[in-house]
Amino acid sequence: MDKLKQIQKLLKYEFKNINLLKEAITHKSIKSSINNERLEFLGDAVLDLIVGEYLYHKFSTQSEGDLSKLRASLVNEDSLAKIAKELKLGEFLYLSPAEENNGGRDKQSLISDALEALMGAIYLESGLDSVKVIFIDLLEKNFPDINLNSLTKDYKTTLQEITQAQIGTAPKYELISSSGPDHKKSFEMAVLLNGKEIARATGNSKKAAEQACALKALEMLKNII
Amino acid sequence: MDKLKQIQKLLKYEFKNINLLKEAITHKSIKSSINNERLEFLGDAVLDLIVGEYLYHKFSTQSEGDLSKLRASLVNEDSLAKIAKELKLGEFLYLSPAEENNGGRDKQSLISDALEALMGAIYLESGLDSVKVIFIDLLEKNFPDINLNSLTKDYKTTLQEITQAQIGTAPKYELISSSGPDHKKSFEMAVLLNGKEIARATGNSKKAAEQACALKALEMLKNII
């Protein structure tokens, strides 16, 4: 079975326009006039809506803030790459030889982008409902236990997950100063992203100060993201 | 004509479920169990997809990066508030007396949120195509000249627009140091957001250093947003 047939079988979807499928699996390292970046742009918005609506119905009394957090935990490079891996998407990508040698088929960013592009392509030719059926099925298979537990994680873990997913880097913590007598010490810590300080906070233990830093950073990022 | 009828006439859409309309115009200052925040969450994703697809077709050769920038210039508090104002949405909102006295009906955030919630509500009961017809019509009326000019704006302007829209604050620039002889001076400037430095750069004039700061900040924000 050729690769294009294989991928359609895995997706349980038959493309009407096979060029759209080819476009969706063409990485930009192929220097042709067409690659999957525009479809990825579309697919990203499609998945945000589909998963947003899914959560809206599934958690009918949760606040908009909780829904946003839940969605961010599902529609991100990590989670999409997990689904893409399950589909073995990496094997099907059109890559340049250089990107191939560079391990492109295993890169999280490449395969999650291709998954978004494929969903964008299906949306274009068959509409939102077709993508819903396909993607929600993939989502539930790969994340059988979608719930609000992730929201009760500590701030440091949450911050790390967000920064890993969004900018591929983990936050670092630095002790700025400590003061006060031994029984009543106060610690000032800073949290750094890519070596740049993004927040600073104090606490009566290093751990407490780090959590306070992470919370500040999360609130800051919430305003930007 | 009562207000609910009036707003449906302005939207050129008749709600099947009038409670959904009421929910969409209920601000959280009304301390009832239901307000428009969940619908706004949904509507925001609906508009990202609709406007994304519109631009995808309208600018069929533009890069994904340009499409993202264009969409960000259209789906943001400023632009949505312009449309909401045209619809006189502020007059129809259910607000607490305190929020009313506080000028709530004129607040950009309140009316743009309500517009998103209304689009979310229409999506829920009538699907994506219904919202497309209504919103693209509103978009084209309010922005008759959607083009790529906004992309050629200088970096300082672009940064200011983004930070105003996303976190409601304008960047400030500070001279850090200058050095070198008069004919070959070098200036180091920093750009601050909410009093916090987010980037630093040098240039052979203050203006050039500011532009370089803004570009750095934009690239940084691009990774986070």
Side-chain angles (χ1 to χ4, degrees), chain A residues 62-151:
Chain A
Q62 292 302 321
S63 75
E64 153 266 346
D66 286 351
L67 295 177
S68 291
K69 282 181 209 164
L70 266 174
R71 181 172 59 192
S73 75
L74 292 168
V75 187
N76 63 49
E77 191 179 294
D78 257 15
S79 303
L80 295 179
K82 181 175 151 86
I83 297 174
K85 239 172 243 160
E86 163 82 19
L87 287 169
K88 301 185 181 23
L89 264 192
E91 297 176 16
F92 303 103
L93 299 187
Y94 297 154
L95 300 176
S96 71
E99 187 59 53
E100 174 104 47
N101 290 332
N102 204 11
R105 295 195 190 281
D106 295 319
K107 279 190 192 159
Q108 295 227 60
S109 58
L110 263 73
I111 59 175
S112 66
D113 287 354
L115 178 62
E116 288 185 325
L118 281 166
M119 296 302 124
I122 297 173
Y123 170 74
L124 269 187
E125 64 167 34
S126 294
L128 196 65
D129 287 337
S130 298
V131 190
K132 264 188 212 175
V133 172
I134 295 167
F135 191 77
I136 295 301
D137 185 45
L138 290 170
L139 190 73
E140 290 186 331
K141 262 188 204 143
N142 283 275
F143 301 93
D145 186 31
I146 298 172
N147 61 51
L148 292 163
N149 284 346
S150 60
L151 300 182

Side-chain angles (χ1 to χ4, degrees), chain B residues 7-13 47 50-51 54 74 78-89 111-112 114-120 122 130-146:
Chain B
I7 188 169
Q8 292 178 86
K9 203 178 162 196
L10 287 168
L11 284 171
K12 296 182 194 150
Y13 177 80
L47 295 189
I50 286 179
V51 176
Y54 174 79
L74 291 167
D78 257 13
S79 302
L80 295 179
K82 182 176 149 86
I83 297 174
K85 238 172 244 160
E86 164 81 19
L87 287 170
K88 301 184 178 30
L89 265 191
I111 59 176
S112 66
L115 178 61
E116 289 184 325
L118 281 166
M119 296 302 123
I122 296 173
S130 299
V131 190
K132 266 188 209 174
V133 172
I134 294 167
F135 191 76
I136 295 300
D137 184 47
L138 289 170
L139 190 73
E140 290 187 330
K141 264 189 203 143
N142 283 275
F143 301 93
D145 187 29
I146 297 173

